[in-house]
């Protein structure tokens, strides 16, 4: 049941990362906010990997062509997904944007079964379905009229991108002939390093002004990177141990942390539908763990 601990850790950290990115989106453009997720996470991932080898020495990984494909594909797709989520934050308030992005779980379930050989029990499918209803309630607090077609399409694209990222991360980890958690740590370090290099190169060529702004007031950027690293560590580890749909369905407890942050830190209101959605997420979590 280690995957449960890692998933809860990831959900808690990601809710804070989303909150920090929501604040940053008011000061930086989409690319700048996206880079803040990875900028300082790379050295943290390297330190984590070194600590693992110091604590439990093992052989170096032998990356296959498939591993490289999944790692590079996940790196690109996560950048796209993060950028789309920042666009969501600019469309609606923080809680709705995070809610739309969390429809990743049912998307991952269908894509996993169709293309990645994922199998779910009846309880697993039921948990995914209940979680999807909860996400729908959060994304449409005042009914379907409260969300535009444009926002819905961006939310679907965002959740699909996150789902593909998660599925490819799991595939990359499973193809490394190494013990856990070393294989998850190598995929984590590789993905974050590629993302950091790509975004830094882009901004050095196209947007140096935003890059300079990130170092003028680094506190929020550093906090975003730290929360992102801890969250990614949790997600990558959990998905190395359990199928993506179950991890992401349990990970919807992030909404509970998100609502608390939204209410106490961002000073946004909480409605009755949010409480109902939280109840459904709790039921979904019990079903997938069962």
């Amino acid at each position: 049941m280690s995957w449960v601990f890692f998933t809860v850790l990831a959900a808690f950290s990601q809710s804070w990362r989303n909150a920090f990115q929501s604040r940053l989106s008011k000061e930086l453009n989409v690319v700048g906010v996206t880079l803040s997720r990875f900028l300082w996470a790379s050295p943290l991932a390297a330190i984590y990997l070194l600590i693992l080898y110091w604590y439990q020495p093992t052989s170096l990984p032998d990356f296959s062509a498939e591993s490289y494909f999944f790692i590079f594909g996940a790196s690109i797709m996560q950048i796209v997904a993060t950028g789309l989520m920042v666009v969501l934050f600019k469309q609606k308030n923080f809680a709705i944007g995070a809610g739309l992005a969390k429809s990743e779980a049912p998307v991952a379930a269908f894509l996993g079964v169709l293309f990645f050989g994922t199998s779910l029990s009846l309880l697993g499918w039921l948990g995914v379905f209940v979680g999807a209803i909860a996400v729908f309630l959060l994304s449409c607090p005042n009914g379907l009229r409260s969300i535009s077609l444009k926002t819905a399409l961006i939310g679907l694209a965002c959740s699909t991108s996150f789902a593909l990222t998660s599925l490819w991360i799991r595939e990359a980890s499973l193809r490394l002939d190494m013990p856990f958690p070393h294989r998850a740590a190598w995929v984590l370090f590789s993905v974050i390093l590629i993302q950091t290099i790509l975004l830094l190169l882009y901004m050095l060529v196209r947007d140096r002004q935003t890059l300079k702004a990130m170092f003028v007031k680094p506190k929020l950027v550093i906090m975003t990177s730290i929360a992102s690293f801890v969250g990614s560590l949790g997600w990558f580890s959990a998905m190395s141990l359990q199928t993506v749909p179950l991890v992401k369905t349990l990970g919807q407890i992030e909404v509970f942390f998100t609502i608390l942050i939204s209410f106490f830190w961002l000073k946004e209101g909480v409605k009755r539908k949010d409480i109902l959605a939280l109840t459904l997420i709790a039921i979904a979590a019990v079903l997938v763990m069962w």
Side-chain angles (χ1 to χ4, degrees):
M1 295 295 286
S2 298
W3 71 275
V4 174
F5 165 76
F6 283 116
T7 302
V8 174
L9 174 67
F12 178 75
S13 301
Q14 184 164 293
S15 62
W16 277 107
R17 185 208 69 201
N18 289 343
F20 295 148
Q21 285 186 313
S22 179
R23 279 284 179 89
L24 276 175
S25 66
K26 299 175 183 178
E27 302 177 11
L28 302 175
N29 60 24
V30 173
V31 180
V33 178
T34 303
L35 176 59
S36 69
R37 174 176 179 171
F38 311 115
L39 186 60
W40 301 107
S42 297
L44 291 174
I47 293 170
Y48 172 62
L49 194 57
L50 289 173
I51 291 174
L52 285 181
Y53 273 88
W54 174 77
Y55 180 74
Q56 185 181 356
T58 187
S59 60
L60 293 175
D62 182 18
F63 291 97
S64 64
E66 284 186 325
S67 297
Y68 283 119
F69 169 79
F70 288 127
I71 288 173
F72 191 78
S75 302
I76 299 297
M77 197 57 64
Q78 193 171 40
I79 291 175
V80 173
T82 304
L84 288 171
M85 187 170 65
V86 175
V87 173
L88 277 176
F89 291 153
K90 293 178 179 292
Q91 294 282 319
K92 291 285 185 178
N93 69 30
F94 169 65
I96 293 179
L100 286 168
K102 289 310 294 178
S103 57
E104 170 189 0
V107 176
F110 287 109
L111 291 179
V113 170
L114 289 175
F115 302 109
F116 294 89
T118 303
S119 60
L120 294 177
S121 66
L122 180 60
L123 281 179
W125 276 112
L126 184 59
V128 171
F129 178 72
V130 172
I133 294 176
V135 169
F136 175 79
L137 289 174
L138 286 170
S139 303
C140 306
N142 298 314
L144 289 174
R145 292 182 180 180
S146 66
I147 181 171
S148 67
L149 178 61
K150 178 182 178 181
T151 304
L153 290 175
I154 295 173
L156 179 60
C158 178
S159 58
T160 302
S161 299
F162 272 127
L164 281 173
T165 299
S166 301
L167 290 164
W168 284 343
I169 285 171
R170 175 169 170 80
E171 292 298 317
S173 180
L174 293 177
R175 279 163 173 73
L176 293 183
D177 187 18
M178 302 182 71
F180 176 85
H182 293 71
R183 53 192 172 94
W186 270 108
V187 175
L188 171 67
F189 173 69
S190 301
V191 168
I192 293 179
L193 182 62
I194 291 172
Q195 292 166 331
T196 305
I197 292 173
L198 288 176
L199 286 172
L200 274 176
L201 288 175
Y202 174 84
M203 295 191 73
L204 283 171
V205 174
R206 299 292 299 273
D207 194 2
R208 293 190 180 185
Q209 194 65 32
T210 300
L211 189 60
K212 290 179 182 178
M214 296 177 67
F215 290 94
V216 173
K217 296 181 179 179
K219 182 178 179 181
L220 198 54
V221 174
I222 292 173
M223 292 169 67
T224 301
S225 290
I226 293 174
S228 176
F229 163 72
V230 176
S232 294
L233 190 157
W235 289 128
F236 282 47
S237 299
M239 290 184 294
S240 292
L241 298 170
Q242 183 57 274
T243 57
V244 173
L246 298 189
V247 170
K248 289 301 181 178
T249 299
L250 176 58
Q252 287 173 336
I253 63 169
E254 173 193 341
V255 174
F256 170 71
F257 303 125
T258 296
I259 290 176
L260 289 180
I261 293 170
S262 180
F263 182 75
F264 289 105
W265 193 54
L266 298 179
K267 307 302 180 183
E268 295 177 355
V270 178
K271 300 182 179 181
R272 291 182 180 179
K273 283 189 176 182
D274 296 336
I275 306 300
L276 175 58
L278 288 176
T279 304
L280 292 175
I281 287 171
I283 294 172
V286 172
L287 289 171
V288 299
M289 285 189 292
W290 202 341

